[in-house]
Every structure is written in structure tokens, then in C-alpha cells.
Amino acid sequence: MANPIVKCAVDQCTHYMPGDQCMAAKVSIYNEETSGNSKKSQDTECKSFHHRKTMGDMIGAFHNANIGGTLSAAFLDGTQVTPVVECFVNNCKYWESDNLCNARHIDVSGVNAAKTTDTDCSTFEEK
Ligand code: SF4
Ligand code: SF4
């Protein structure tokens, strides 16, 4: 199954881990507009973003946490942790049926993000 390595710079997210890794078990990339016609990466978003405000939020995020993978991969043997990616941006050149992404890796960005629409899949390229 196609699944890109996720590199994420959104350090305001509860799933963010130093090293620009994402510790979510799964992330969902969407068009910001429900019309579903992203023209540029800023039109896309990571719907799995969860704003890190309090410790309560940290705990709340654990329902979607790749804890086993995080501990074994990131801390013990140093390999990259990466979530399963589902993507609904079907006019991206990397999109594949069944909501898969066939890019080798994706970059998720969003400086000082406070909501999902502040995040982007920077790897998006219009088909
Ligand atoms: S913004 Fe998305 S890709 Fe980045 S850490 Fe959060 S859930 Fe993971
Ligand atoms: S590169 Fe394209 S297909 Fe892959 S997650 Fe980003 S927007 Fe979706």
C-alpha cells in the first residue's frame, strides 16, 4: 500500500514530536473547501491537527497516538515514525484511488497554527 513518510513542522500540534515527526497513528489530508478543488498547497489542510494548549489536550490526543511505533522507532533505534496517511485531495498528482498518497514523503507545514486550516500539505501539486 502506498504510504508516504510524513515530515511535519507544525509544532503547535499535540501529535508533533521533535525531529519534525508526527506521532499520530493516522492523519487525514483534506481540501480546505468542501468543493474539493485545491489549486495550491495552502488550499489543503491536515484535519488531524489538534492544537496543543494544555496538558489535557495532550492526553486527549492519545486516542490517535502511535505510541508503540513512537517509542520503539524514535527513541530506541532512531528510525522514522510515520502515520498512515489518508488523503481526500483527489486533484493532487500524488493522489491514488482509495484515498491513498503515492508520494515518497510529504511535508506538512503551518507556522503558529491554531486551527486545521492553518496547516498545509506542502507536497501538493495540482494534477
Ligand atoms: S499537523 Fe498533522 S501531520 Fe502534523 S503533527 Fe499534527 S497530525 Fe501530524
Ligand atoms: S501530496 Fe497530494 S495526495 Fe499526498 S497527502 Fe499531499 S495532497 Fe494528498
Side-chain angles (χ1 to χ4, degrees):
M1 185 186 93
N3 196 69
I5 301 282
V6 176
K7 199 163 183 239
C8 180
V10 185
D11 61 1
Q12 294 297 312
C13 178
T14 48
H15 299 298
Y16 174 88
M17 204 170 64
D20 285 354
Q21 301 195 66
C22 170
M23 64 182 277
K26 181 178 183 182
V27 298
S28 302
I29 309 295
Y30 276 72
N31 296 288
E32 282 183 10
E33 301 294 332
T34 45
S35 62
N37 251 332
S38 291
K39 295 281 177 212
K40 52 191 186 314
S41 62
Q42 287 86 345
D43 297 338
T44 67
E45 62 180 337
C46 175
K47 267 278 195 228
S48 307
F49 170 80
H50 192 258
H51 197 202
R52 172 166 48 78
K53 283 174 281 192
T54 65
M55 277 310 287
D57 282 347
M58 282 293 286
I59 292 158
F62 283 143
H63 71 276
N64 184 23
N66 193 359
I67 298 294
T70 302
L71 290 177
S72 61
F75 297 131
L76 300 180
D77 63 22
T79 52
Q80 172 83 38
V81 162
T82 203
V84 171
V85 175
E86 67 172 354
C87 180
F88 297 88
V89 185
N90 63 7
N91 66 323
C92 174
K93 77 174 201 183
Y94 296 109
W95 188 87
E96 267 186 15
S97 55
D98 296 328
N99 301 323
L100 298 173
C101 170
N102 70 17
R104 289 172 67 93
H105 55 84
I106 64 169
D107 289 300
V108 179
S109 57
V111 178
N112 293 325
K115 52 191 187 309
T116 58
T117 50
D118 295 335
T119 64
D120 305 315
C121 175
S122 303
T123 308
F124 168 84
E125 276 187 56
E126 195 177 4
K127 218 181 256 178

